[in-house]
Coordinates of all heavy atoms in Angstrom, one line a residue:
M1 N 5.2 -23.2 -28.1 CA 4.4 -23.5 -27.0 C 5.2 -23.5 -25.7 O 4.8 -23.0 -24.7 CB 3.8 -24.9 -27.2 CG 2.8 -25.3 -26.1 SD 1.4 -24.3 -26.2 CE 0.1 -25.5 -26.4
M2 N 6.5 -23.9 -25.8 CA 7.4 -23.9 -24.6 C 7.6 -22.4 -24.1 O 7.6 -22.2 -22.9 CB 8.7 -24.5 -25.0 CG 9.7 -24.6 -23.9 SD 9.0 -25.7 -22.6 CE 10.5 -26.2 -21.9
F3 N 7.7 -21.5 -25.1 CA 7.9 -20.1 -24.7 C 6.7 -19.6 -23.9 O 6.9 -18.9 -22.9 CB 8.0 -19.3 -26.0 CG 8.1 -17.8 -25.7 CD1 9.3 -17.3 -25.2 CD2 7.0 -17.0 -26.0 CE1 9.4 -15.9 -25.0 CE2 7.1 -15.6 -25.7 CZ 8.3 -15.1 -25.2
L4 N 5.5 -19.9 -24.3 CA 4.3 -19.5 -23.5 C 4.3 -20.1 -22.1 O 3.9 -19.4 -21.2 CB 3.0 -19.9 -24.3 CG 2.7 -19.1 -25.5 CD1 1.5 -19.6 -26.2 CD2 2.5 -17.6 -25.2
R5 N 4.6 -21.3 -22.0 CA 4.7 -21.9 -20.6 C 5.7 -21.2 -19.8 O 5.4 -21.0 -18.6 CB 5.0 -23.4 -20.7 CG 3.8 -24.2 -20.9 CD 4.1 -25.7 -20.8 NE 3.8 -26.2 -22.2 CZ 4.4 -27.2 -22.7 NH1 5.3 -27.9 -22.0 NH2 4.1 -27.6 -23.9
Q6 N 6.8 -20.9 -20.4 CA 7.9 -20.2 -19.6 C 7.4 -18.8 -19.2 O 7.6 -18.4 -18.1 CB 9.1 -20.1 -20.5 CG 10.3 -19.5 -19.7 CD 11.5 -19.4 -20.6 OE1 11.5 -19.7 -21.8 NE2 12.6 -18.9 -20.0
Q7 N 6.7 -18.1 -20.1 CA 6.2 -16.8 -19.8 C 5.2 -16.9 -18.7 O 5.2 -16.0 -17.8 CB 5.6 -16.2 -21.0 CG 6.7 -15.8 -22.1 CD 7.6 -14.7 -21.6 OE1 7.2 -13.7 -21.0 NE2 8.9 -14.9 -21.7
R8 N 4.3 -17.8 -18.7 CA 3.3 -18.0 -17.7 C 3.9 -18.3 -16.3 O 3.5 -17.7 -15.3 CB 2.3 -19.1 -18.0 CG 1.2 -18.6 -18.9 CD 0.1 -19.7 -19.1 NE 0.1 -20.0 -20.5 CZ -0.1 -21.2 -21.0 NH1 -0.3 -22.2 -20.2 NH2 -0.1 -21.4 -22.3
Q9 N 5.0 -19.1 -16.3 CA 5.7 -19.4 -15.1 C 6.3 -18.2 -14.5 O 6.3 -17.9 -13.3 CB 6.7 -20.6 -15.3 CG 7.5 -20.9 -14.1 CD 6.6 -21.5 -13.0 OE1 5.5 -22.1 -13.2 NE2 7.0 -21.2 -11.7
E10 N 7.0 -17.4 -15.4 CA 7.6 -16.2 -14.9 C 6.6 -15.2 -14.4 O 6.8 -14.5 -13.4 CB 8.4 -15.5 -16.1 CG 9.7 -16.3 -16.4 CD 10.4 -15.7 -17.6 OE1 10.2 -14.5 -17.9 OE2 11.2 -16.4 -18.2
L11 N 5.4 -15.1 -15.0 CA 4.4 -14.2 -14.5 C 3.9 -14.7 -13.1 O 3.7 -13.9 -12.2 CB 3.2 -14.2 -15.5 CG 2.0 -13.3 -15.1 CD1 2.5 -11.9 -14.9 CD2 0.9 -13.4 -16.1
R12 N 3.7 -16.0 -12.9 CA 3.3 -16.5 -11.6 C 4.3 -16.2 -10.6 O 4.0 -15.8 -9.4 CB 3.1 -18.0 -11.7 CG 1.8 -18.4 -12.3 CD 1.6 -19.9 -12.1 NE 0.9 -20.4 -13.3 CZ 1.5 -21.2 -14.3 NH1 2.7 -21.6 -14.1 NH2 0.8 -21.5 -15.4
E13 N 5.6 -16.3 -10.9 CA 6.7 -16.0 -9.9 C 6.7 -14.5 -9.6 O 6.8 -14.1 -8.4 CB 8.0 -16.4 -10.5 CG 8.2 -17.9 -10.6 CD 9.5 -18.3 -11.3 OE1 10.3 -17.4 -11.6 OE2 9.6 -19.5 -11.6
L14 N 6.5 -13.6 -10.6 CA 6.4 -12.2 -10.3 C 5.2 -11.9 -9.4 O 5.3 -11.1 -8.5 CB 6.3 -11.4 -11.6 CG 7.6 -11.3 -12.4 CD1 7.3 -10.7 -13.8 CD2 8.6 -10.5 -11.7
Q15 N 4.1 -12.5 -9.7 CA 2.9 -12.2 -8.8 C 3.1 -12.7 -7.4 O 2.6 -12.1 -6.5 CB 1.7 -12.9 -9.5 CG 1.2 -12.1 -10.7 CD 0.1 -12.9 -11.5 OE1 0.0 -14.1 -11.4 NE2 -0.7 -12.1 -12.2
A16 N 3.8 -13.8 -7.3 CA 4.1 -14.4 -5.9 C 5.0 -13.5 -5.1 O 4.9 -13.4 -3.9 CB 4.7 -15.8 -6.0
R17 N 5.9 -12.7 -5.8 CA 6.8 -11.8 -5.2 C 6.1 -10.5 -4.8 O 6.7 -9.7 -4.1 CB 8.0 -11.6 -6.0 CG 9.0 -12.7 -5.9 CD 10.3 -12.4 -6.6 NE 10.1 -13.0 -7.9 CZ 10.8 -12.6 -9.0 NH1 11.7 -11.6 -8.9 NH2 10.6 -13.1 -10.2
R18 N 5.0 -10.2 -5.4 CA 4.3 -9.0 -5.2 C 4.0 -8.8 -3.7 O 3.5 -9.6 -3.0 CB 3.0 -8.9 -6.0 CG 2.3 -7.6 -5.9 CD 1.1 -7.6 -6.8 NE 0.5 -6.3 -6.7 CZ -0.5 -5.9 -7.3 NH1 -1.0 -6.7 -8.2 NH2 -1.0 -4.7 -7.2
T19 N 4.4 -7.6 -3.2 CA 4.3 -7.4 -1.8 C 3.6 -6.0 -1.6 O 3.6 -5.1 -2.4 CB 5.6 -7.4 -1.1 OG1 6.5 -6.4 -1.7 CG2 6.3 -8.7 -1.2
E20 N 3.1 -5.9 -0.4 CA 2.5 -4.6 0.1 C 3.1 -4.3 1.4 O 3.4 -5.2 2.2 CB 1.0 -4.6 0.2 CG 0.3 -4.7 -1.2 CD -1.2 -4.5 -1.0 OE1 -1.7 -4.9 0.0 OE2 -1.8 -4.1 -2.0
T21 N 3.3 -3.1 1.7 CA 3.8 -2.6 3.0 C 2.8 -1.6 3.6 O 2.4 -0.7 2.9 CB 5.2 -2.0 2.8 OG1 6.1 -2.9 2.2 CG2 5.8 -1.5 4.2
T22 N 2.5 -1.8 4.9 CA 1.7 -0.9 5.6 C 2.5 -0.2 6.7 O 3.2 -0.9 7.5 CB 0.5 -1.6 6.2 OG1 -0.3 -2.3 5.1 CG2 -0.5 -0.7 7.0
V23 N 2.3 1.1 6.9 CA 3.0 1.8 7.9 C 1.9 2.6 8.7 O 0.8 2.9 8.2 CB 4.0 2.8 7.4 CG1 5.2 2.0 6.8 CG2 3.5 3.8 6.4
F24 N 2.2 2.8 10.0 CA 1.3 3.5 10.9 C 1.9 4.7 11.4 O 3.1 4.8 11.7 CB 0.9 2.5 12.1 CG 0.1 1.3 11.6 CD1 0.8 0.2 11.2 CD2 -1.2 1.3 11.6 CE1 0.2 -0.9 10.8 CE2 -1.9 0.2 11.2 CZ -1.2 -1.0 10.8
S25 N 1.1 5.7 11.6 CA 1.6 6.9 12.3 C 1.9 6.6 13.8 O 1.4 5.6 14.3 CB 0.5 8.1 12.3 OG -0.6 7.7 13.0
P26 N 2.8 7.3 14.4 CA 3.2 7.0 15.8 C 2.0 6.9 16.7 O 2.0 6.1 17.7 CB 4.1 8.1 16.2 CG 4.7 8.6 14.9 CD 3.6 8.4 13.9
D27 N 1.0 7.7 16.5 CA -0.2 7.7 17.4 C -1.2 6.6 17.0 O -2.3 6.4 17.6 CB -0.8 9.0 17.5 CG -1.3 9.6 16.2 OD1 -1.3 8.9 15.2 OD2 -1.7 10.8 16.2
G28 N -1.0 5.9 15.9 CA -1.9 4.9 15.4 C -3.2 5.4 14.7 O -4.1 4.6 14.5
L29 N -3.3 6.7 14.5 CA -4.5 7.2 13.9 C -4.6 7.2 12.4 O -5.6 7.3 11.8 CB -4.7 8.7 14.3 CG -4.9 8.9 15.8 CD1 -5.0 10.4 16.1 CD2 -6.1 8.2 16.4
V30 N -3.4 6.9 11.7 CA -3.4 6.9 10.3 C -2.5 5.7 9.9 O -1.5 5.4 10.5 CB -2.7 8.1 9.7 CG1 -2.6 8.0 8.2 CG2 -3.5 9.4 10.1
S31 N -3.0 4.9 8.9 CA -2.1 3.9 8.3 C -2.2 4.0 6.7 O -3.3 4.4 6.2 CB -2.5 2.5 8.7 OG -3.7 2.1 8.2
A32 N -1.1 3.7 6.1 CA -1.1 3.8 4.6 C -0.4 2.5 4.1 O 0.5 2.0 4.7 CB -0.3 5.0 4.2
T33 N -1.0 2.0 3.1 CA -0.4 0.7 2.4 C 0.0 1.1 1.0 O -0.7 1.7 0.3 CB -1.5 -0.4 2.4 OG1 -1.9 -0.6 3.8 CG2 -0.9 -1.7 1.8
V34 N 1.2 0.6 0.7 CA 1.7 0.8 -0.7 C 2.2 -0.5 -1.3 O 2.5 -1.4 -0.5 CB 2.9 1.8 -0.7 CG1 2.5 3.2 -0.3 CG2 4.1 1.3 0.2
D35 N 2.1 -0.6 -2.6 CA 2.6 -1.8 -3.2 C 4.1 -1.7 -3.5 O 4.7 -0.7 -3.1 CB 1.8 -2.1 -4.5 CG 1.9 -1.1 -5.6 OD1 2.9 -0.3 -5.5 OD2 1.1 -1.1 -6.5
E36 N 4.6 -2.7 -4.2 CA 6.1 -2.8 -4.4 C 6.6 -1.6 -5.3 O 7.7 -1.3 -5.3 CB 6.5 -4.1 -5.0 CG 6.0 -4.4 -6.4 CD 4.5 -4.8 -6.5 OE1 3.9 -5.0 -5.5 OE2 4.1 -5.0 -7.6
R37 N 5.7 -1.0 -6.0 CA 6.1 0.2 -6.8 C 5.9 1.5 -6.1 O 6.2 2.5 -6.6 CB 5.3 0.2 -8.1 CG 5.7 -1.0 -9.0 CD 4.7 -1.1 -10.2 NE 3.5 -1.6 -9.6 CZ 2.4 -1.8 -10.3 NH1 2.3 -1.4 -11.5 NH2 1.3 -2.2 -9.7
G38 N 5.4 1.4 -4.9 CA 5.2 2.7 -4.1 C 3.9 3.3 -4.3 O 3.6 4.4 -3.9
H39 N 3.0 2.6 -5.0 CA 1.6 3.2 -5.3 C 0.7 2.9 -4.1 O 0.7 1.8 -3.5 CB 1.0 2.5 -6.5 CG 1.7 2.8 -7.8 ND1 1.9 1.9 -8.7 CD2 2.2 3.9 -8.2 CE1 2.6 2.4 -9.7 NE2 2.8 3.7 -9.5
L40 N 0.1 4.0 -3.7 CA -0.8 3.9 -2.5 C -2.0 2.9 -2.9 O -2.7 3.1 -3.8 CB -1.4 5.3 -2.2 CG -2.3 5.4 -0.9 CD1 -1.5 5.1 0.3 CD2 -2.9 6.8 -0.9
T41 N -2.2 1.9 -2.0 CA -3.2 0.9 -2.3 C -4.3 0.9 -1.1 O -5.3 0.4 -1.3 CB -2.7 -0.5 -2.4 OG1 -2.0 -0.9 -1.2 CG2 -1.8 -0.6 -3.6
G42 N -3.9 1.6 -0.1 CA -4.9 1.7 1.1 C -4.5 2.8 2.0 O -3.4 3.2 2.2
L43 N -5.6 3.4 2.5 CA -5.4 4.5 3.5 C -6.5 4.4 4.5 O -7.7 4.3 4.2 CB -5.5 5.9 2.8 CG -5.3 7.1 3.7 CD1 -3.9 7.2 4.3 CD2 -5.6 8.4 2.9
W44 N -6.1 4.3 5.8 CA -7.0 4.2 6.9 C -6.9 5.4 7.8 O -5.8 5.7 8.2 CB -6.8 2.9 7.6 CG -7.7 2.7 8.8 CD1 -9.0 2.2 8.8 CD2 -7.4 2.9 10.2 NE1 -9.5 2.2 10.0 CE2 -8.5 2.6 10.9 CE3 -6.3 3.4 10.8 CZ2 -8.6 2.8 12.3 CZ3 -6.3 3.5 12.2 CH2 -7.5 3.2 12.9
L45 N -8.0 6.0 8.2 CA -8.0 7.1 9.1 C -8.9 6.8 10.3 O -10.1 6.5 10.1 CB -8.5 8.4 8.4 CG -7.8 8.8 7.1 CD1 -8.5 9.9 6.4 CD2 -6.3 9.2 7.4
D46 N -8.4 6.8 11.4 CA -9.2 6.6 12.6 C -10.1 7.8 12.8 O -9.8 8.9 12.5 CB -8.3 6.5 13.9 CG -9.0 6.1 15.1 OD1 -9.8 7.0 15.6 OD2 -8.8 5.0 15.6
G47 N -11.3 7.6 13.2 CA -12.3 8.6 13.3 C -11.9 9.7 14.3 O -12.3 10.9 14.1
R48 N -11.0 9.4 15.2 CA -10.6 10.5 16.1 C -9.8 11.6 15.5 O -9.6 12.7 16.0 CB -9.7 9.8 17.3 CG -10.6 9.0 18.2 CD -9.7 8.3 19.2 NE -8.9 7.3 18.5 CZ -7.8 6.7 19.0 NH1 -7.4 7.0 20.2 NH2 -7.1 5.8 18.3
I49 N -9.3 11.3 14.3 CA -8.4 12.3 13.6 C -9.3 13.5 13.2 O -8.7 14.6 13.0 CB -7.8 11.6 12.3 CG1 -6.6 12.5 11.9 CG2 -8.7 11.5 11.2 CD1 -5.6 11.8 11.0
Y50 N -10.5 13.3 13.0 CA -11.4 14.5 12.6 C -11.8 15.4 13.8 O -12.4 16.4 13.6 CB -12.7 13.9 12.0 CG -12.4 13.1 10.8 CD1 -12.6 11.7 10.8 CD2 -11.9 13.6 9.6 CE1 -12.4 10.9 9.7 CE2 -11.7 12.8 8.5 CZ -11.9 11.5 8.6 OH -11.7 10.7 7.5
R51 N -11.3 15.1 15.0 CA -11.7 15.9 16.1 C -10.9 17.2 16.1 O -11.3 18.2 16.7 CB -11.4 15.2 17.4 CG -12.3 14.1 17.6 CD -12.1 13.4 19.0 NE -13.0 12.3 19.1 CZ -12.8 11.2 19.9 NH1 -11.7 11.2 20.6 NH2 -13.7 10.3 19.9
S52 N -9.8 17.3 15.4 CA -9.0 18.5 15.3 C -9.4 19.2 14.0 O -9.2 18.7 12.9 CB -7.5 18.2 15.3 OG -6.8 19.3 15.0
P53 N -9.9 20.4 14.1 CA -10.3 21.2 12.9 C -9.2 21.8 12.2 O -9.4 22.3 11.1 CB -11.3 22.3 13.5 CG -10.8 22.5 14.9 CD -10.3 21.1 15.4
D54 N -8.0 21.7 12.7 CA -6.8 22.2 12.0 C -6.3 21.3 10.9 O -5.8 20.2 11.1 CB -5.7 22.4 13.1 CG -4.5 23.2 12.5 OD1 -4.4 23.4 11.3 OD2 -3.7 23.6 13.4
S55 N -6.5 21.8 9.7 CA -6.1 21.0 8.5 C -4.6 20.7 8.5 O -4.2 19.7 7.9 CB -6.6 21.6 7.2 OG -5.9 22.9 7.0
R56 N -3.8 21.6 9.0 CA -2.4 21.4 9.1 C -2.0 20.2 9.9 O -1.2 19.4 9.6 CB -1.6 22.6 9.6 CG -1.6 23.8 8.5 CD -1.0 25.0 9.1 NE -2.0 25.5 10.1 CZ -1.7 26.4 11.0 NH1 -0.6 27.1 10.9 NH2 -2.6 26.8 11.9
V57 N -2.7 20.0 11.0 CA -2.5 18.9 11.9 C -2.9 17.6 11.2 O -2.2 16.6 11.2 CB -3.3 19.0 13.2 CG1 -3.2 17.7 14.0 CG2 -2.7 20.2 14.0
F58 N -4.1 17.7 10.5 CA -4.6 16.5 9.8 C -3.6 16.1 8.7 O -3.2 14.9 8.6 CB -5.9 16.9 9.2 CG -6.5 15.8 8.3 CD1 -7.2 14.7 9.0 CD2 -6.5 15.8 7.0 CE1 -7.7 13.7 8.2 CE2 -7.0 14.8 6.2 CZ -7.6 13.7 6.8
S59 N -3.1 17.0 7.9 CA -2.2 16.7 6.8 C -0.9 16.2 7.3 O -0.3 15.3 6.7 CB -2.0 17.8 5.8 OG -1.4 18.9 6.5
A60 N -0.4 16.7 8.4 CA 0.8 16.3 9.0 C 0.7 14.8 9.5 O 1.7 14.0 9.3 CB 1.2 17.2 10.2
K61 N -0.4 14.4 10.0 CA -0.6 13.1 10.4 C -0.6 12.1 9.2 O -0.1 11.0 9.3 CB -1.9 12.9 11.2 CG -1.8 13.6 12.6 CD -2.9 13.0 13.5 CE -2.7 13.6 14.9 NZ -1.5 13.2 15.6
V62 N -1.2 12.5 8.1 CA -1.3 11.7 7.0 C 0.2 11.5 6.4 O 0.6 10.4 6.1 CB -2.2 12.3 5.9 CG1 -2.0 11.5 4.6 CG2 -3.6 12.2 6.4
I63 N 0.9 12.6 6.4 CA 2.3 12.5 5.8 C 3.2 11.7 6.8 O 4.1 11.0 6.3 CB 2.8 13.9 5.6 CG1 2.0 14.5 4.4 CG2 4.3 13.9 5.3 CD1 2.3 16.0 4.2
E64 N 2.9 11.8 8.1 CA 3.7 11.1 9.1 C 3.8 9.6 8.8 O 4.7 8.9 9.0 CB 3.1 11.2 10.4 CG 3.9 11.9 11.4 CD 3.0 12.1 12.7 OE1 2.4 11.2 13.1 OE2 3.1 13.2 13.2
S65 N 2.7 9.0 8.3 CA 2.6 7.5 8.2 C 3.3 7.0 7.0 O 4.0 7.7 6.3 CB 1.1 7.1 8.1 OG 0.5 7.7 7.1

């Protein structure tokens, strides 16, 4: 029983340390959020990003963030 309590406590501590980081492109049109393992958990694109029909510009902005 003591082992289970200890495991639960360790799990709570790990969950409490869980963090996410959000970065923004320099122009503020793209933001991306990743978890502590680097997995993408959120992606936000400002509607103005679609004004440029050039897919290279679009992809560069996504990679920038």
